[in-house]
């Protein structure tokens, strides 16, 4: 079974920083793309940043220059360093992974349980 375990998040004043982490469980699992999405009530889940297994990265325009995504393929882990946070960054952040349980299985989309980030002014 593939599971995504998130950590980090919390309450921070505008201008502050937070770091989110996400680890994919399962010793025999393989992981392709990994990403962070965020969602606020009444809106669709939006992509914040994505990183491929080769290290190619994309960011949403709203976070460029402030957020940095990184990846450790051996640990099957991604981190999102969020600096200069703004109130509009508030939301539930979800980790995403395109993964498979082992080489015999097909690739599927997996999501973490979500972690709340609240930025107050």
């Amino acid at each position: 079974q593939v599971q995504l375990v998130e950590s980090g998040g919390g309450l921070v004043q505008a201008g502050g920083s937070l770091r989110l982490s996400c680890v994919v469980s399962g010793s025999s699992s393989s992981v392709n793309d990994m990403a962070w999405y965020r969602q606020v009530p009444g809106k669709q889940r939006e992509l914040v940043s994505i990183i491929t297994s080769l290290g190619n990265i994309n960011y949403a325009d709203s976070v460029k220059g402030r957020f940095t995504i990184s990846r450790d393929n051996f640990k099957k882990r991604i981190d999102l360093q969020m600096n200069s946070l703004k109130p509009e960054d508030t939301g539930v952040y979800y980790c995403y992974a395109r993964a498979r349980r082992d080489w015999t299985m097909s690739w599927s989309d997996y999501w973490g349980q979500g972690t709340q980030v609240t930025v107050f002014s």
Side-chain angles (χ1 to χ4, degrees):
Q1 182 72 12
V2 175
Q3 289 185 321
L4 275 57
V5 180
E6 301 162 346
S7 60
L11 184 67
V12 66
Q13 191 170 20
S17 299
L18 284 173
R19 188 176 185 89
L20 305 181
S21 296
C22 174
V23 177
V24 178
S25 67
S27 59
S28 60
S29 64
S30 300
V31 186
N32 199 334
D33 293 352
M34 294 188 73
W36 287 98
Y37 285 74
R38 68 185 176 197
Q39 189 168 24
V40 297
K43 291 190 176 181
Q44 285 189 329
R45 194 172 294 187
E46 64 172 356
L47 177 67
V48 174
S49 182
I50 187 167
I51 183 167
T52 71
S53 58
L54 298 179
N56 296 313
I57 293 172
N58 275 301
Y59 295 100
D61 288 342
S62 60
V63 307
K64 283 181 181 176
R66 300 187 297 120
F67 290 12
T68 302
I69 194 169
S70 59
R71 177 170 179 157
D72 185 327
N73 285 330
F74 180 74
K75 295 181 179 179
K76 300 175 191 174
R77 169 177 170 154
I78 59 169
D79 294 307
L80 185 69
Q81 179 64 42
M82 304 184 293
N83 298 329
S84 303
L85 283 160
K86 304 175 181 180
E88 50 265 43
D89 294 319
T90 294
V92 179
Y93 284 68
Y94 294 91
C95 180
Y96 161 87
R98 182 75 172 168
R100 58 183 179 182
R101 193 169 65 190
D102 57 59
W103 67 273
T104 66
M105 305 295 288
S106 59
W107 295 95
S108 298
D109 296 327
Y110 294 89
W111 294 91
Q113 77 281 6
T115 184
Q116 178 70 43
V117 171
T118 303
V119 185
F120 62 94
S121 57

